[in-house]
Structure formats: structure tokens, C-alpha cells
Amino acid sequence: TSPSVATIAAIGAHEGQTVTLRGWLYALRESGKLLFPIFRDGTGTIQGIVPKAAVSAETFETIRQLTQESSVIVTGKVRADKRAPGGYELDVEAVEVLQRVPEDDPFPITRKEHGVDFLMEHRHLWIRTPRQSAILRIRAEIIKAARDYLDDNGFILTDPPILTPAACEGTSTLFPVDYFGDEAYLTQSGQLYIESTALALGKVYSFGPTFRAEKSKTRRHLTEFWMVEPEMAYAGLDDLMALAEQFLSFIVERVLTRRALDIAVLGRDVAKLEAIRAPFPRLSYDDAVAMLHEAYEKGLAPELIQSKFEYGNDFGSPDETYLSSQFDRPLMVHRYPAAVKAFYMEPDPENSKYALCVDVLAPEGYGEVIGGSQRVASYDLLAKRIEEHHLPLDAFQWYLDLRRYGSVPHSGFGMGIERVVAWICGLEHVRETIPFARTLNRIYP
Ligand code: 4AD
Ligand code: MG
């Protein structure tokens, strides 16, 4: 019988057996009469060992001639080895080469340092490297965890449209689309629609791509990103903050238990992730500003805080970095001045100058990963807000209906998948968190 086909991630189940792996050559080291090919198959990497005496001269030579990313079907015996990153090595017995990458047109991504532009230009190939593959597997785990949490806690998935007639998050970042002669926009957020499904179904969520014509280059912004948005009827800001901390803790824990090997590939400090447990610290905007002022006056973080924060502004990246670096868990900043936040946020009944909103700032300077609020419940107030924000009242009539017919307090947030991937993986830039990042300067490949 022919050996069973195994995957590298699950190879432990075949210890002592001869298996077949279907993958690619990632790297090859030669040391005297020994070859050390490293194979990858999409689930992970494994080192093979090929002593010259153990295989035919032809097999030895075939492996010796393998070039990076040549596609190969490898047969070998699985051996436990404590020093191996995945715990196993493969005593190679045979290889079948499907396509050998020619020397004169080698795989462009070598193990030397490449510039970011070169890597992004070759993103379709860059994703094959172990680090990028690990990030993509973790991304998938984060999405699965987010969905599992919501599915298992009574939230119904409702998909909002991608093509929309109006803005949700300000008119300056809209992507217009010609819709049979009318102007439509790619969605910035599913929120307005899931407010309506929440009033139909109670607890709902959406998960999908969202678009913003972000004209600035930052390490946190994409023009196309994926958001998961839970929305709950009969829920206020406190319920929302409780959900946010449970949700994020669950996601981090899931990644730690299911993707430990990938986290190790990235060299991520696991202790920092293990600290992510509810409850999270909560700080009002006013208290956060007081912290920034103190930092400025005492010169606590001169590289971040160079001038006195102007009360009433939204926080900039350095401000968020400073605030979040004061805590070992995500920081929930609530009750920002209504003036710097979106039109749909419910004012604080204690002081209408503030909005009942929360931003969750990830530790280690990763910035805002979640933004959400309680929603305006009053028809009159919402209509007034829409006008004040110069939004087209006509396009929002259906949204106002939610306040005409059985309005209730309701709340929700949006979590940006890429921001969370960047934080959990410990990445410098969100461009590595998604298979094909869309940014101000790049729409290729
Ligand atoms: O804070 P934002 O703009 O909130 C909303 O869109 C609400 N309508 C969500 C809701 O209440 N249902 O965006 C939510 C999150 C941010 O916290 C951030 O994680 C992510 O989406 N985000 C981006 N991620 C990558 N690139 C961008 N340009 C992003 N803009 C927002
Ligand atoms: Mg926000």
C-alpha cells in the first residue's frame, strides 16, 4: 500500500510511519554527505534529512538540485525531534518533482532582506513565506473565533449591502460608484443596516469588507478592510463594553490555544497576549486627557507627547499609543465629546456634551481596534443630527423609521480585523494582515 498523505501541521499523528507530503521546497542546506531540505505545504514547514547513504544516487542528486519553491511530493518517515520547531523531522525516502523552478528565473523572494515595495509588488508570492503564511492562518483563526463567539452567544449573522446610497462614517472617505446613473458608495460600515436587523432579531452581527478612501498613509489604515459588527437591541454602553472585553479576550485566547506554533514563528511575546483577560481598564475621555496632560507636563514620553493635548480633539496615534502603553490590557476609553464623534451616537444623559461611545485601544501602541456606541433613540434628535451633519435627509428616511416604530436603546461596535491581526501578531503595519492589502498607493496585484 502507498503511504498515507499527511499535512505538516498534523504530522505528529504519523510518528514512526512513512507518509507523503505534497508541497514545495522552502529552503535547502547541504553539509557534506547530508542534505537538509525544508519543505512547506501550507500548514507549516518541516525539515527533511537526506543522508547520501540512505537514498539512491539519483534521489540524492534530485534533492540536491531542488530550487526554492519547486513543487514536490515527498515521501519519508516521521521522526520526533525536540529541537525541531514543530517537534518532528522527516527522514526523506523519495521525491517526485512536479515543477522545478529554473535557476535562471528563480523565485523572487529569497531569504535576504527585500524592500517593502518589492515585497508588496510580489505579494502573490510573498504569502508563501513562513512568516506571511503564519499571519494568514492567524487571521483566519481570528475571524473564526469572532464568528464562533457571536454565533454561540445568540447573535444572528445578517449581511448588510456593500453598495449603499449614503455615508455612515463621514463623507470625506466615500468611494463613489456609478449606479446606473445615480451615485452610490461602497459601504464604510454595515452599522446602519444592522441597527435595523437588530430591531428585527434582537442580537445580530455583520462580517464583511468595508471601504474608506483614506487619503493618508499610515500603518493602521487600509482603503479596504474587514469589519465584524455586533449590534444589540435593548443594550446600553455598559453592555457594549462588557461585550467588547469578553469578545476580545475570547479571540486572543483562541489564537493562543489553536495557533501557538504560528505565534512562535512570528516570535511574538506570548506573555503579553496571555495578559489579555477581562475586565479591561476603563477611562473616560476626560480622564484620558488628564493623563495626556500629566505626561506632557512631566515630560514622561517626549517621543510621543510633544505638545499639550487640546481638550475636545480626537486622539491622534501618538496619544493613543501613550494611553494604551500605560496598561497591559486593551484600554476602553468612553464618553468622548459628541462633537468629534459620529452623528448617530446617543448623548450621555448626565451631560449631553459627551457621547455614549467607546474606543478600545490595544496595548503596545496598536491603537484603536474597536469603535462603538449606544445609538440615538429619539427621532427628533436623530433628524436634527442628520441635518447638522449636512447628510441627505431623504437617503436616511428608512433609518429614521427605526426611531418611528418601536425605538429602543441599542448599541453596537465595529472591530477591524486587520487592526486585531496586527496587534495579536505584533506587526508593524496592517499591510501584512490581509492577503492583498489595498492602500492609497497600491491596487496591484
Ligand atoms: O471606528 P469606526 O469608524 O466605527 C464604525 O465604522 C462604526 N460604524 C462601527 C459600529 O459601531 N458598528 O471603525 C470601526 C473599526 C475601527 O476601530 C478600526 O479597528 C477599523 O474599524 N478601521 C479600520 N481598519 C483598517 N483601515 C481603516 N481605514 C479603518 N478604519 C476603521
Ligand atoms: Mg473609530
Side-chain angles (χ1 to χ4, degrees):
T1 63
S2 55
S4 57
V5 175
T7 60
I8 293 170
I11 209 157
H14 299 275
E15 191 187 337
Q17 298 168 14
T18 296
V19 297
T20 292
L21 297 177
R22 302 187 293 199
W24 296 262
L25 181 89
Y26 168 59
L28 179 65
R29 194 160 56 83
E30 188 175 351
S31 168
K33 294 189 156 102
L34 281 174
L35 299 176
F36 298 100
I38 298 176
F39 300 106
R40 64 167 196 91
D41 74 344
T43 72
T45 58
I46 191 167
Q47 175 163 279
I49 299 199
V50 196
K52 192 163 190 173
V55 294
S56 71
E58 194 197 335
T59 299
F60 191 82
E61 202 48 30
T62 303
I63 297 172
R64 208 172 73 83
Q65 298 286 329
L66 279 180
T67 44
Q68 190 187 351
E69 284 308 308
S70 291
S71 39
V72 286
I73 295 179
V74 187
T75 300
K77 196 167 180 184
V78 181
R79 182 170 36 74
D81 187 318
K82 285 204 186 65
R83 294 160 303 172
Y88 298 91
E89 287 191 338
L90 195 71
D91 291 322
V92 178
E93 295 166 7
V95 295
E96 178 191 336
V97 182
L98 276 72
Q99 190 238 336
R100 183 173 174 279
V101 176
E103 272 96 0
D104 58 0
D105 187 11
F107 188 71
I109 318 287
T110 62
R111 291 171 89 181
K112 69 166 203 244
E113 290 269 316
H114 294 286
V116 167
D117 278 336
F118 180 85
L119 291 170
M120 289 305 288
E121 197 76 9
H122 293 88
R123 182 65 178 163
H124 51 298
L125 303 176
W126 185 23
I127 52 178
R128 298 186 187 192
T129 57
R131 189 180 157 79
Q132 297 302 315
S133 296
I135 294 168
L136 295 186
R137 285 189 294 265
I138 292 168
R139 175 190 171 92
E141 199 68 59
I142 288 168
I143 292 171
K144 167 116 174 78
R147 298 204 40 184
D148 282 352
Y149 181 89
L150 295 169
D151 290 341
D152 294 347
N153 283 279
F155 290 78
I156 306 294
L157 175 70
T158 59
D159 304 308
I162 306 283
L163 292 166
T164 61
C168 177
E169 294 300 327
T171 48
S172 64
T173 61
L174 285 171
F175 269 119
V177 182
D178 172 55
Y179 197 74
F180 308 111
D182 281 335
E183 187 163 76
Y185 309 99
L186 297 178
T187 185
Q188 298 169 307
S189 157
Q191 181 196 320
L192 306 184
Y193 294 94
I194 58 170
E195 282 185 53
S196 83
T197 59
L199 299 197
L201 301 165
K203 294 205 289 186
V204 300
Y205 74 101
S206 64
F207 171 63
T210 48
F211 304 85
R212 300 205 191 161
E214 304 278 2
K215 280 143 206 134
S216 57
K217 272 169 67 174
T218 82
R219 58 197 188 86
R220 294 178 186 169
H221 289 88
L222 296 168
T223 56
E224 180 180 306
F225 60 100
W226 289 67
M227 220 195 310
V228 54
E229 300 181 81
E231 187 77 29
M232 304 179 282
Y234 287 104
L237 180 62
D238 286 339
D239 304 305
L240 193 65
M241 292 198 280
L243 174 66
E245 65 192 0
Q246 295 300 330
F247 187 56
L248 278 178
S249 308
F250 178 86
I251 291 169
V252 171
E253 210 216 299
R254 192 49 107 63
V255 171
L256 285 174
T257 51
R258 297 200 180 171
R259 287 287 159 202
L261 215 55
D262 289 322
I263 290 286
V265 166
L266 299 176
R268 181 71 167 107
D269 182 348
V270 176
K272 291 231 161 62
L273 296 176
E274 283 168 347
I276 310 305
R277 297 249 160 94
F280 294 169
R282 298 169 190 211
L283 210 56
S284 69
Y285 171 89
D286 281 12
D287 289 343
V289 171
M291 274 181 81
L292 291 174
H293 285 170
E294 189 195 358
Y296 174 65
E297 274 142 28
K298 296 190 177 163
L300 297 180
E303 70 289 357
L304 292 170
I305 316 271
Q306 277 129 17
S307 58
K308 187 164 181 193
F309 179 81
E310 204 174 310
Y311 184 90
N313 282 353
D314 204 350
F315 299 126
S317 288
D319 306 317
E320 289 184 353
T321 300
Y322 175 75
L323 290 170
S324 67
S325 67
Q326 305 308 300
F327 303 90
D328 65 346
R329 299 160 199 229
L331 169 64
M332 302 204 279
V333 183
H334 55 86
R335 293 179 172 79
Y336 286 65
V340 293
K341 288 291 183 183
F343 73 95
Y344 51 70
M345 293 185 177
E346 183 79 315
D348 186 350
E350 309 267 306
N351 182 346
S352 63
K353 182 180 104 179
Y354 299 109
L356 291 178
C357 65
V358 61
D359 277 3
V360 183
L361 311 181
E364 303 170 74
Y366 283 95
E368 179 195 332
V369 289
I370 282 180
S373 73
Q374 190 169 324
R375 319 308 190 184
V376 171
S378 142
Y379 176 92
D380 291 336
L381 178 60
L382 185 60
K384 187 166 149 253
R385 286 283 183 79
I386 289 171
E387 275 176 343
E388 282 168 4
H389 282 77
H390 308 293
L391 294 166
L393 207 51
D394 282 356
F396 285 95
Q397 282 307 321
W398 70 271
Y399 184 61
L400 282 160
D401 274 353
L402 307 180
R403 282 75 182 170
R404 282 190 186 101
Y405 307 114
S407 189
V408 299
H410 61 288
S411 302
F413 64 69
M415 182 185 88
I417 295 292
E418 292 73 19
R419 298 266 181 98
V420 173
V421 176
W423 161 49
I424 292 181
C425 292
L427 308 177
E428 268 299 299
H429 199 292
V430 288
R431 67 183 157 232
E432 290 181 43
T433 63
I434 184 166
F436 295 94
R438 293 291 169 252
T439 53
L440 181 62
N441 297 325
R442 178 169 296 282
I443 195 167
Y444 176 92

